[in-house]
Amino acid sequence: AGFGLYRYFKYQVNLALNYDYKIKNFKVLEYNNDNLKVSLEYEITNNSSFQILVKEYDLKLLYKNKNFADTKNNVPFIIFPNKSFKFSTEAVINLKESGSSLLPLIQDIFNNKPINIEATGFVKVKFLGINNTINFDNDSFQYSSNLLKDIGLSNQVEKFKQKNPSFAKYFE
């Protein structure tokens, strides 16, 4: 019985760490010569039977080992079990630091390639009544398999590429 209980909880932990998400909205909030402040809205699905309390996070996001955004939050929120919810966050993109990573990012987005992001920082959570800090040290994850499709712009970009082949070749 003890082994069965252990396997069940291990299975639930794996489900909790294997959540699904969709990008629902992206907005530019502010812009100046140094920074671009953006808002992202996600729909996240918790596949486990347990709720997760996210207490705070502080993350640096990198693309091909170049820092392009920082995001942090210290307002706790709950991810309910077997449910989807919308979650908004803000990020600050340092234009000077991210300049060298923007062209490869734009090329990969324009060519419908997967967008793999690295994260450095921490997320503090409470799961099954246990406080835990998840540390990231250039941990890589797939942000999107096709970002243009996720945000509903793939058809428009394909039409643009067909109408402007001389411009489109710069992103190949």
Side-chain angles (χ1 to χ4, degrees):
F3 182 69
L5 192 58
Y6 166 78
R7 286 191 61 205
Y8 173 74
F9 281 109
K10 182 168 174 33
Y11 176 72
Q12 292 300 320
V13 168
N14 288 338
L15 284 176
L17 296 174
N18 202 4
Y19 57 88
D20 296 324
Y21 69 92
K22 295 178 188 170
I23 302 165
K24 295 302 238 179
N25 199 354
F26 176 86
K27 291 182 199 169
V28 175
L29 301 175
E30 292 178 27
Y31 168 76
N32 63 41
N33 290 337
D34 296 326
N35 295 312
L36 181 68
K37 187 174 182 181
V38 298
S39 170
L40 295 161
E41 182 180 68
Y42 299 93
E43 181 178 84
I44 299 175
T45 302
N46 178 2
N47 296 315
S48 79
S49 298
F50 298 99
Q51 77 179 23
I52 302 166
L53 171 66
V54 178
K55 298 168 118 183
E56 70 176 293
Y57 59 84
D58 186 353
L59 298 168
K60 288 190 177 298
L61 304 175
L62 302 102
Y63 187 72
K64 296 190 177 180
N65 295 317
K66 304 279 186 191
N67 183 320
F68 73 89
D70 299 316
T71 184
K72 60 174 70 176
N73 181 29
N74 59 4
V75 178
F77 61 94
I78 294 174
I79 303 173
F80 291 100
N82 297 310
K83 299 249 190 250
S84 294
F85 74 101
K86 289 185 181 171
F87 167 69
S88 295
T89 189
E90 292 179 358
V92 176
I93 300 171
N94 183 309
L95 298 173
K96 290 179 183 177
E97 284 183 22
S98 63
S100 60
S101 65
L102 283 179
L103 184 58
L105 175 63
I106 292 168
Q107 287 175 321
D108 288 350
I109 291 170
F110 200 71
N111 290 310
N112 301 317
K113 291 185 179 178
I115 305 302
N116 296 310
I117 303 292
E118 297 94 36
T120 299
F122 67 87
V123 177
K124 292 185 178 183
V125 298
K126 188 172 189 176
F127 180 69
L128 297 172
I130 300 169
N131 291 315
N132 194 6
T133 299
I134 304 168
N135 291 305
F136 296 91
D137 184 21
N138 285 342
D139 294 346
S140 182
F141 63 95
Q142 188 175 72
Y143 181 74
S144 173
S145 61
N146 184 333
L147 187 61
L148 291 175
K149 184 178 178 183
D150 290 348
I151 61 176
L153 293 176
S154 59
N155 290 337
Q156 293 89 328
V157 170
E158 286 305 314
K159 288 177 187 175
F160 175 81
K161 286 164 68 173
Q162 290 173 0
K163 288 182 181 180
N164 302 286
S166 59
F167 180 77
K169 73 178 180 182
Y170 290 109
F171 292 99
E172 294 178 356

PDB file of all heavy atoms in Angstrom, residues 20-28 39-45 84-89 143-144 146-153:
ATOM      1  N   ASP A  20       0.290  22.403 -19.202  1.00  0.00           N
ATOM      2  CA  ASP A  20       0.120  22.895 -20.567  1.00  0.00           C
ATOM      3  C   ASP A  20      -0.136  24.390 -20.513  1.00  0.00           C
ATOM      4  O   ASP A  20      -0.736  24.891 -19.561  1.00  0.00           O
ATOM      5  CB  ASP A  20      -1.094  22.221 -21.229  1.00  0.00           C
ATOM      6  CG  ASP A  20      -0.904  20.729 -21.392  1.00  0.00           C
ATOM      7  OD1 ASP A  20       0.227  20.298 -21.670  1.00  0.00           O
ATOM      8  OD2 ASP A  20      -1.896  19.997 -21.231  1.00  0.00           O
ATOM      9  N   TYR A  21       0.294  25.108 -21.535  1.00  0.00           N
ATOM     10  CA  TYR A  21       0.004  26.534 -21.587  1.00  0.00           C
ATOM     11  C   TYR A  21      -0.180  26.992 -23.028  1.00  0.00           C
ATOM     12  O   TYR A  21       0.312  26.372 -23.963  1.00  0.00           O
ATOM     13  CB  TYR A  21       1.106  27.356 -20.908  1.00  0.00           C
ATOM     14  CG  TYR A  21       2.411  27.342 -21.654  1.00  0.00           C
ATOM     15  CD1 TYR A  21       2.705  28.322 -22.596  1.00  0.00           C
ATOM     16  CD2 TYR A  21       3.342  26.335 -21.442  1.00  0.00           C
ATOM     17  CE1 TYR A  21       3.904  28.302 -23.280  1.00  0.00           C
ATOM     18  CE2 TYR A  21       4.534  26.310 -22.126  1.00  0.00           C
ATOM     19  CZ  TYR A  21       4.814  27.300 -23.046  1.00  0.00           C
ATOM     20  OH  TYR A  21       5.984  27.271 -23.736  1.00  0.00           O
ATOM     21  N   LYS A  22      -0.911  28.089 -23.174  1.00  0.00           N
ATOM     22  CA  LYS A  22      -1.113  28.737 -24.464  1.00  0.00           C
ATOM     23  C   LYS A  22      -0.934  30.226 -24.260  1.00  0.00           C
ATOM     24  O   LYS A  22      -1.358  30.772 -23.237  1.00  0.00           O
ATOM     25  CB  LYS A  22      -2.526  28.490 -24.990  1.00  0.00           C
ATOM     26  CG  LYS A  22      -2.843  27.068 -25.317  1.00  0.00           C
ATOM     27  CD  LYS A  22      -4.285  26.943 -25.773  1.00  0.00           C
ATOM     28  CE  LYS A  22      -4.658  25.487 -25.914  1.00  0.00           C
ATOM     29  NZ  LYS A  22      -6.074  25.296 -26.125  1.00  0.00           N
ATOM     30  N   ILE A  23      -0.330  30.884 -25.211  1.00  0.00           N
ATOM     31  CA  ILE A  23      -0.212  32.333 -25.165  1.00  0.00           C
ATOM     32  C   ILE A  23      -1.522  32.911 -25.659  1.00  0.00           C
ATOM     33  O   ILE A  23      -1.971  32.602 -26.756  1.00  0.00           O
ATOM     34  CB  ILE A  23       0.951  32.816 -26.051  1.00  0.00           C
ATOM     35  CG1 ILE A  23       2.259  32.167 -25.596  1.00  0.00           C
ATOM     36  CG2 ILE A  23       1.041  34.334 -26.030  1.00  0.00           C
ATOM     37  CD1 ILE A  23       3.369  32.275 -26.588  1.00  0.00           C
ATOM     38  N   LYS A  24      -2.155  33.736 -24.831  1.00  0.00           N
ATOM     39  CA  LYS A  24      -3.452  34.298 -25.189  1.00  0.00           C
ATOM     40  C   LYS A  24      -3.363  35.750 -25.645  1.00  0.00           C
ATOM     41  O   LYS A  24      -4.160  36.198 -26.450  1.00  0.00           O
ATOM     42  CB  LYS A  24      -4.425  34.213 -24.003  1.00  0.00           C
ATOM     43  CG  LYS A  24      -4.769  32.792 -23.605  1.00  0.00           C
ATOM     44  CD  LYS A  24      -5.353  32.061 -24.754  1.00  0.00           C
ATOM     45  CE  LYS A  24      -6.711  31.523 -24.469  1.00  0.00           C
ATOM     46  NZ  LYS A  24      -7.296  30.832 -25.574  1.00  0.00           N
ATOM     47  N   ASN A  25      -2.427  36.517 -25.094  1.00  0.00           N
ATOM     48  CA  ASN A  25      -2.372  37.928 -25.408  1.00  0.00           C
ATOM     49  C   ASN A  25      -0.962  38.459 -25.169  1.00  0.00           C
ATOM     50  O   ASN A  25      -0.285  38.024 -24.239  1.00  0.00           O
ATOM     51  CB  ASN A  25      -3.382  38.681 -24.524  1.00  0.00           C
ATOM     52  CG  ASN A  25      -3.735  40.038 -25.081  1.00  0.00           C
ATOM     53  OD1 ASN A  25      -3.170  40.489 -26.058  1.00  0.00           O
ATOM     54  ND2 ASN A  25      -4.676  40.693 -24.435  1.00  0.00           N
ATOM     55  N   PHE A  26      -0.540  39.389 -25.987  1.00  0.00           N
ATOM     56  CA  PHE A  26       0.763  40.020 -25.873  1.00  0.00           C
ATOM     57  C   PHE A  26       0.566  41.510 -26.144  1.00  0.00           C
ATOM     58  O   PHE A  26      -0.014  41.873 -27.169  1.00  0.00           O
ATOM     59  CB  PHE A  26       1.726  39.415 -26.908  1.00  0.00           C
ATOM     60  CG  PHE A  26       3.078  40.068 -26.929  1.00  0.00           C
ATOM     61  CD1 PHE A  26       4.069  39.635 -26.061  1.00  0.00           C
ATOM     62  CD2 PHE A  26       3.359  41.111 -27.796  1.00  0.00           C
ATOM     63  CE1 PHE A  26       5.321  40.224 -26.076  1.00  0.00           C
ATOM     64  CE2 PHE A  26       4.601  41.697 -27.816  1.00  0.00           C
ATOM     65  CZ  PHE A  26       5.590  41.259 -26.955  1.00  0.00           C
ATOM     66  N   LYS A  27       0.995  42.367 -25.223  1.00  0.00           N
ATOM     67  CA  LYS A  27       0.840  43.807 -25.387  1.00  0.00           C
ATOM     68  C   LYS A  27       2.137  44.517 -25.033  1.00  0.00           C
ATOM     69  O   LYS A  27       2.818  44.136 -24.083  1.00  0.00           O
ATOM     70  CB  LYS A  27      -0.240  44.365 -24.457  1.00  0.00           C
ATOM     71  CG  LYS A  27      -1.636  43.977 -24.763  1.00  0.00           C
ATOM     72  CD  LYS A  27      -2.568  44.666 -23.771  1.00  0.00           C
ATOM     73  CE  LYS A  27      -3.894  43.973 -23.726  1.00  0.00           C
ATOM     74  NZ  LYS A  27      -4.720  44.437 -22.617  1.00  0.00           N
ATOM     75  N   VAL A  28       2.429  45.576 -25.763  1.00  0.00           N
ATOM     76  CA  VAL A  28       3.525  46.462 -25.401  1.00  0.00           C
ATOM     77  C   VAL A  28       2.931  47.531 -24.496  1.00  0.00           C
ATOM     78  O   VAL A  28       1.983  48.221 -24.871  1.00  0.00           O
ATOM     79  CB  VAL A  28       4.173  47.094 -26.648  1.00  0.00           C
ATOM     80  CG1 VAL A  28       5.226  48.110 -26.250  1.00  0.00           C
ATOM     81  CG2 VAL A  28       4.774  46.014 -27.549  1.00  0.00           C
ATOM     82  N   SER A  39       3.339  42.969 -21.626  1.00  0.00           N
ATOM     83  CA  SER A  39       2.426  42.163 -20.825  1.00  0.00           C
ATOM     84  C   SER A  39       2.099  40.910 -21.626  1.00  0.00           C
ATOM     85  O   SER A  39       1.808  40.990 -22.822  1.00  0.00           O
ATOM     86  CB  SER A  39       1.146  42.957 -20.540  1.00  0.00           C
ATOM     87  OG  SER A  39       0.179  42.122 -19.972  1.00  0.00           O
ATOM     88  N   LEU A  40       2.172  39.763 -20.958  1.00  0.00           N
ATOM     89  CA  LEU A  40       1.840  38.487 -21.584  1.00  0.00           C
ATOM     90  C   LEU A  40       0.721  37.843 -20.788  1.00  0.00           C
ATOM     91  O   LEU A  40       0.753  37.828 -19.555  1.00  0.00           O
ATOM     92  CB  LEU A  40       3.043  37.549 -21.582  1.00  0.00           C
ATOM     93  CG  LEU A  40       4.234  37.983 -22.408  1.00  0.00           C
ATOM     94  CD1 LEU A  40       5.477  37.240 -21.964  1.00  0.00           C
ATOM     95  CD2 LEU A  40       3.973  37.718 -23.860  1.00  0.00           C
ATOM     96  N   GLU A  41      -0.270  37.309 -21.487  1.00  0.00           N
ATOM     97  CA  GLU A  41      -1.336  36.565 -20.822  1.00  0.00           C
ATOM     98  C   GLU A  41      -1.274  35.128 -21.325  1.00  0.00           C
ATOM     99  O   GLU A  41      -1.216  34.884 -22.531  1.00  0.00           O
ATOM    100  CB  GLU A  41      -2.698  37.171 -21.133  1.00  0.00           C
ATOM    101  CG  GLU A  41      -3.826  36.463 -20.412  1.00  0.00           C
ATOM    102  CD  GLU A  41      -5.179  37.073 -20.728  1.00  0.00           C
ATOM    103  OE1 GLU A  41      -5.616  36.942 -21.891  1.00  0.00           O
ATOM    104  OE2 GLU A  41      -5.766  37.676 -19.833  1.00  0.00           O
ATOM    105  N   TYR A  42      -1.248  34.207 -20.385  1.00  0.00           N
ATOM    106  CA  TYR A  42      -1.185  32.778 -20.691  1.00  0.00           C
ATOM    107  C   TYR A  42      -2.453  32.106 -20.195  1.00  0.00           C
ATOM    108  O   TYR A  42      -3.066  32.548 -19.234  1.00  0.00           O
ATOM    109  CB  TYR A  42      -0.023  32.099 -19.942  1.00  0.00           C
ATOM    110  CG  TYR A  42       1.329  32.615 -20.253  1.00  0.00           C
ATOM    111  CD1 TYR A  42       1.901  33.621 -19.483  1.00  0.00           C
ATOM    112  CD2 TYR A  42       2.056  32.083 -21.291  1.00  0.00           C
ATOM    113  CE1 TYR A  42       3.168  34.086 -19.753  1.00  0.00           C
ATOM    114  CE2 TYR A  42       3.329  32.538 -21.568  1.00  0.00           C
ATOM    115  CZ  TYR A  42       3.882  33.542 -20.799  1.00  0.00           C
ATOM    116  OH  TYR A  42       5.130  33.998 -21.064  1.00  0.00           O
ATOM    117  N   GLU A  43      -2.787  31.001 -20.828  1.00  0.00           N
ATOM    118  CA  GLU A  43      -3.774  30.089 -20.266  1.00  0.00           C
ATOM    119  C   GLU A  43      -2.987  28.847 -19.863  1.00  0.00           C
ATOM    120  O   GLU A  43      -2.356  28.204 -20.704  1.00  0.00           O
ATOM    121  CB  GLU A  43      -4.849  29.736 -21.289  1.00  0.00           C
ATOM    122  CG  GLU A  43      -5.907  28.818 -20.717  1.00  0.00           C
ATOM    123  CD  GLU A  43      -6.994  28.514 -21.725  1.00  0.00           C
ATOM    124  OE1 GLU A  43      -6.769  27.583 -22.536  1.00  0.00           O
ATOM    125  OE2 GLU A  43      -8.015  29.205 -21.717  1.00  0.00           O
ATOM    126  N   ILE A  44      -2.995  28.544 -18.569  1.00  0.00           N
ATOM    127  CA  ILE A  44      -2.213  27.437 -18.034  1.00  0.00           C
ATOM    128  C   ILE A  44      -3.166  26.357 -17.550  1.00  0.00           C
ATOM    129  O   ILE A  44      -4.170  26.654 -16.905  1.00  0.00           O
ATOM    130  CB  ILE A  44      -1.306  27.906 -16.878  1.00  0.00           C
ATOM    131  CG1 ILE A  44      -0.321  28.956 -17.397  1.00  0.00           C
ATOM    132  CG2 ILE A  44      -0.575  26.738 -16.249  1.00  0.00           C
ATOM    133  CD1 ILE A  44       0.540  29.579 -16.337  1.00  0.00           C
ATOM    134  N   THR A  45      -2.850  25.100 -17.859  1.00  0.00           N
ATOM    135  CA  THR A  45      -3.646  23.960 -17.407  1.00  0.00           C
ATOM    136  C   THR A  45      -2.805  23.127 -16.452  1.00  0.00           C
ATOM    137  O   THR A  45      -1.726  22.667 -16.809  1.00  0.00           O
ATOM    138  CB  THR A  45      -4.109  23.094 -18.601  1.00  0.00           C
ATOM    139  OG1 THR A  45      -4.855  23.905 -19.497  1.00  0.00           O
ATOM    140  CG2 THR A  45      -4.962  21.932 -18.131  1.00  0.00           C
ATOM    141  N   SER A  84      -7.901  24.909 -16.005  1.00  0.00           N
ATOM    142  CA  SER A  84      -7.168  25.926 -16.760  1.00  0.00           C
ATOM    143  C   SER A  84      -7.481  27.282 -16.156  1.00  0.00           C
ATOM    144  O   SER A  84      -8.571  27.502 -15.640  1.00  0.00           O
ATOM    145  CB  SER A  84      -7.596  25.930 -18.225  1.00  0.00           C
ATOM    146  OG  SER A  84      -7.215  24.737 -18.852  1.00  0.00           O
ATOM    147  N   PHE A  85      -6.528  28.166 -16.220  1.00  0.00           N
ATOM    148  CA  PHE A  85      -6.761  29.532 -15.762  1.00  0.00           C
ATOM    149  C   PHE A  85      -5.887  30.468 -16.579  1.00  0.00           C
ATOM    150  O   PHE A  85      -4.904  30.056 -17.184  1.00  0.00           O
ATOM    151  CB  PHE A  85      -6.471  29.669 -14.267  1.00  0.00           C
ATOM    152  CG  PHE A  85      -4.999  29.662 -13.929  1.00  0.00           C
ATOM    153  CD1 PHE A  85      -4.337  30.839 -13.666  1.00  0.00           C
ATOM    154  CD2 PHE A  85      -4.301  28.475 -13.888  1.00  0.00           C
ATOM    155  CE1 PHE A  85      -2.982  30.820 -13.373  1.00  0.00           C
ATOM    156  CE2 PHE A  85      -2.954  28.445 -13.596  1.00  0.00           C
ATOM    157  CZ  PHE A  85      -2.293  29.629 -13.327  1.00  0.00           C
ATOM    158  N   LYS A  86      -6.273  31.739 -16.584  1.00  0.00           N
ATOM    159  CA  LYS A  86      -5.490  32.751 -17.282  1.00  0.00           C
ATOM    160  C   LYS A  86      -4.576  33.431 -16.280  1.00  0.00           C
ATOM    161  O   LYS A  86      -4.965  33.698 -15.149  1.00  0.00           O
ATOM    162  CB  LYS A  86      -6.402  33.757 -17.963  1.00  0.00           C
ATOM    163  CG  LYS A  86      -7.107  33.162 -19.141  1.00  0.00           C
ATOM    164  CD  LYS A  86      -7.904  34.183 -19.885  1.00  0.00           C
ATOM    165  CE  LYS A  86      -8.618  33.476 -21.050  1.00  0.00           C
ATOM    166  NZ  LYS A  86      -9.566  34.347 -21.687  1.00  0.00           N
ATOM    167  N   PHE A  87      -3.364  33.681 -16.726  1.00  0.00           N
ATOM    168  CA  PHE A  87      -2.347  34.265 -15.879  1.00  0.00           C
ATOM    169  C   PHE A  87      -1.635  35.349 -16.674  1.00  0.00           C
ATOM    170  O   PHE A  87      -1.240  35.121 -17.815  1.00  0.00           O
ATOM    171  CB  PHE A  87      -1.370  33.160 -15.453  1.00  0.00           C
ATOM    172  CG  PHE A  87      -0.110  33.665 -14.834  1.00  0.00           C
ATOM    173  CD1 PHE A  87      -0.125  34.266 -13.595  1.00  0.00           C
ATOM    174  CD2 PHE A  87       1.093  33.525 -15.499  1.00  0.00           C
ATOM    175  CE1 PHE A  87       1.046  34.721 -13.026  1.00  0.00           C
ATOM    176  CE2 PHE A  87       2.263  33.973 -14.938  1.00  0.00           C
ATOM    177  CZ  PHE A  87       2.233  34.577 -13.690  1.00  0.00           C
ATOM    178  N   SER A  88      -1.513  36.526 -16.086  1.00  0.00           N
ATOM    179  CA  SER A  88      -0.821  37.630 -16.743  1.00  0.00           C
ATOM    180  C   SER A  88       0.480  37.929 -16.021  1.00  0.00           C
ATOM    181  O   SER A  88       0.563  37.821 -14.798  1.00  0.00           O
ATOM    182  CB  SER A  88      -1.684  38.891 -16.736  1.00  0.00           C
ATOM    183  OG  SER A  88      -2.835  38.696 -17.499  1.00  0.00           O
ATOM    184  N   THR A  89       1.473  38.301 -16.780  1.00  0.00           N
ATOM    185  CA  THR A  89       2.745  38.717 -16.217  1.00  0.00           C
ATOM    186  C   THR A  89       3.302  39.835 -17.081  1.00  0.00           C
ATOM    187  O   THR A  89       2.917  39.988 -18.241  1.00  0.00           O
ATOM    188  CB  THR A  89       3.742  37.547 -16.125  1.00  0.00           C
ATOM    189  OG1 THR A  89       4.891  37.967 -15.386  1.00  0.00           O
ATOM    190  CG2 THR A  89       4.169  37.048 -17.485  1.00  0.00           C
ATOM    191  N   TYR A 143       9.403  27.265 -25.332  1.00  0.00           N
ATOM    192  CA  TYR A 143       8.378  28.279 -25.110  1.00  0.00           C
ATOM    193  C   TYR A 143       7.231  28.079 -26.079  1.00  0.00           C
ATOM    194  O   TYR A 143       6.070  28.200 -25.713  1.00  0.00           O
ATOM    195  CB  TYR A 143       8.999  29.661 -25.277  1.00  0.00           C
ATOM    196  CG  TYR A 143       8.050  30.797 -25.042  1.00  0.00           C
ATOM    197  CD1 TYR A 143       7.653  31.118 -23.761  1.00  0.00           C
ATOM    198  CD2 TYR A 143       7.562  31.548 -26.100  1.00  0.00           C
ATOM    199  CE1 TYR A 143       6.785  32.162 -23.527  1.00  0.00           C
ATOM    200  CE2 TYR A 143       6.697  32.594 -25.875  1.00  0.00           C
ATOM    201  CZ  TYR A 143       6.322  32.904 -24.588  1.00  0.00           C
ATOM    202  OH  TYR A 143       5.456  33.941 -24.373  1.00  0.00           O
ATOM    203  N   SER A 144       7.568  27.752 -27.307  1.00  0.00           N
ATOM    204  CA  SER A 144       6.541  27.549 -28.321  1.00  0.00           C
ATOM    205  C   SER A 144       7.125  26.710 -29.448  1.00  0.00           C
ATOM    206  O   SER A 144       8.272  26.900 -29.833  1.00  0.00           O
ATOM    207  CB  SER A 144       6.076  28.908 -28.862  1.00  0.00           C
ATOM    208  OG  SER A 144       5.202  28.730 -29.947  1.00  0.00           O
ATOM    209  N   ASN A 146       5.660  26.831 -32.399  1.00  0.00           N
ATOM    210  CA  ASN A 146       5.414  27.727 -33.533  1.00  0.00           C
ATOM    211  C   ASN A 146       4.708  28.968 -32.981  1.00  0.00           C
ATOM    212  O   ASN A 146       3.489  28.998 -32.862  1.00  0.00           O
ATOM    213  CB  ASN A 146       4.567  27.031 -34.592  1.00  0.00           C
ATOM    214  CG  ASN A 146       4.366  27.880 -35.840  1.00  0.00           C
ATOM    215  OD1 ASN A 146       4.397  29.104 -35.794  1.00  0.00           O
ATOM    216  ND2 ASN A 146       4.131  27.211 -36.947  1.00  0.00           N
ATOM    217  N   LEU A 147       5.480  29.981 -32.640  1.00  0.00           N
ATOM    218  CA  LEU A 147       4.939  31.159 -31.965  1.00  0.00           C
ATOM    219  C   LEU A 147       3.906  31.892 -32.812  1.00  0.00           C
ATOM    220  O   LEU A 147       2.880  32.339 -32.293  1.00  0.00           O
ATOM    221  CB  LEU A 147       6.072  32.116 -31.578  1.00  0.00           C
ATOM    222  CG  LEU A 147       5.671  33.309 -30.735  1.00  0.00           C
ATOM    223  CD1 LEU A 147       5.081  32.869 -29.406  1.00  0.00           C
ATOM    224  CD2 LEU A 147       6.858  34.222 -30.503  1.00  0.00           C
ATOM    225  N   LEU A 148       4.148  32.008 -34.110  1.00  0.00           N
ATOM    226  CA  LEU A 148       3.180  32.705 -34.967  1.00  0.00           C
ATOM    227  C   LEU A 148       1.827  32.005 -34.962  1.00  0.00           C
ATOM    228  O   LEU A 148       0.784  32.659 -34.923  1.00  0.00           O
ATOM    229  CB  LEU A 148       3.712  32.814 -36.392  1.00  0.00           C
ATOM    230  CG  LEU A 148       4.912  33.749 -36.573  1.00  0.00           C
ATOM    231  CD1 LEU A 148       5.427  33.674 -38.002  1.00  0.00           C
ATOM    232  CD2 LEU A 148       4.558  35.169 -36.188  1.00  0.00           C
ATOM    233  N   LYS A 149       1.833  30.690 -34.967  1.00  0.00           N
ATOM    234  CA  LYS A 149       0.582  29.935 -34.908  1.00  0.00           C
ATOM    235  C   LYS A 149      -0.089  30.131 -33.553  1.00  0.00           C
ATOM    236  O   LYS A 149      -1.307  30.318 -33.470  1.00  0.00           O
ATOM    237  CB  LYS A 149       0.851  28.453 -35.164  1.00  0.00           C
ATOM    238  CG  LYS A 149      -0.390  27.608 -35.210  1.00  0.00           C
ATOM    239  CD  LYS A 149      -0.042  26.160 -35.527  1.00  0.00           C
ATOM    240  CE  LYS A 149      -1.282  25.289 -35.523  1.00  0.00           C
ATOM    241  NZ  LYS A 149      -0.954  23.887 -35.752  1.00  0.00           N
ATOM    242  N   ASP A 150       0.720  30.112 -32.471  1.00  0.00           N
ATOM    243  CA  ASP A 150       0.175  30.264 -31.121  1.00  0.00           C
ATOM    244  C   ASP A 150      -0.543  31.597 -30.932  1.00  0.00           C
ATOM    245  O   ASP A 150      -1.543  31.664 -30.231  1.00  0.00           O
ATOM    246  CB  ASP A 150       1.279  30.137 -30.069  1.00  0.00           C
ATOM    247  CG  ASP A 150       1.820  28.729 -29.944  1.00  0.00           C
ATOM    248  OD1 ASP A 150       1.202  27.796 -30.493  1.00  0.00           O
ATOM    249  OD2 ASP A 150       2.875  28.572 -29.307  1.00  0.00           O
ATOM    250  N   ILE A 151      -0.017  32.650 -31.526  1.00  0.00           N
ATOM    251  CA  ILE A 151      -0.646  33.966 -31.347  1.00  0.00           C
ATOM    252  C   ILE A 151      -1.561  34.327 -32.516  1.00  0.00           C
ATOM    253  O   ILE A 151      -2.096  35.422 -32.571  1.00  0.00           O
ATOM    254  CB  ILE A 151       0.402  35.079 -31.096  1.00  0.00           C
ATOM    255  CG1 ILE A 151       1.376  35.217 -32.270  1.00  0.00           C
ATOM    256  CG2 ILE A 151       1.136  34.840 -29.802  1.00  0.00           C
ATOM    257  CD1 ILE A 151       2.355  36.354 -32.133  1.00  0.00           C
ATOM    258  N   GLY A 152      -1.760  33.382 -33.446  1.00  0.00           N
ATOM    259  CA  GLY A 152      -2.739  33.574 -34.513  1.00  0.00           C
ATOM    260  C   GLY A 152      -2.275  34.437 -35.664  1.00  0.00           C
ATOM    261  O   GLY A 152      -3.105  35.040 -36.358  1.00  0.00           O
ATOM    262  N   LEU A 153      -0.967  34.497 -35.902  1.00  0.00           N
ATOM    263  CA  LEU A 153      -0.458  35.335 -36.992  1.00  0.00           C
ATOM    264  C   LEU A 153       0.199  34.553 -38.122  1.00  0.00           C
ATOM    265  O   LEU A 153       0.733  35.155 -39.047  1.00  0.00           O
ATOM    266  CB  LEU A 153       0.554  36.351 -36.443  1.00  0.00           C
ATOM    267  CG  LEU A 153       0.001  37.421 -35.512  1.00  0.00           C
ATOM    268  CD1 LEU A 153       1.132  38.289 -34.984  1.00  0.00           C
ATOM    269  CD2 LEU A 153      -1.033  38.268 -36.229  1.00  0.00           C
TER     270      LEU A 153
END
